Amino acid sequence: MDVLVRVIAIVIEVVILTAIIYSLLAGVWLAIFDLGIGVKYKKVISMTVVVVGCILVIFFIAHLTSFYPAI
């Protein structure tokens, strides 16, 4: 039972952190184009933002599963 509660807590925390990271990266994406970067770089910047987001989510999952305290 403790393992199930721990898994549910980790999943909830990863979802919350993913939402926060998504909003931050969306703001960065919008700010980059607001500063005058050309539209021809839109695909490259979008791929970079997606890759950074995926790396951060994998980082959160790895650290939460290994360092989450026992319940």
Side-chain angles (χ1 to χ4, degrees), residues 8-47:
I8 291 172
I10 289 172
V11 168
I12 290 171
E13 196 161 346
V14 167
V15 167
I16 291 170
L17 288 171
T18 302
I20 291 169
I21 291 300
Y22 172 76
S23 62
L24 287 173
L25 289 177
V28 167
W29 190 79
L30 290 171
I32 287 173
F33 288 111
D34 195 37
L35 292 174
I37 300 292
V39 178
K40 69 179 183 177
Y41 298 114
K42 188 173 184 175
K43 285 186 180 182
V44 173
I45 292 173
S46 297
M47 286 188 302

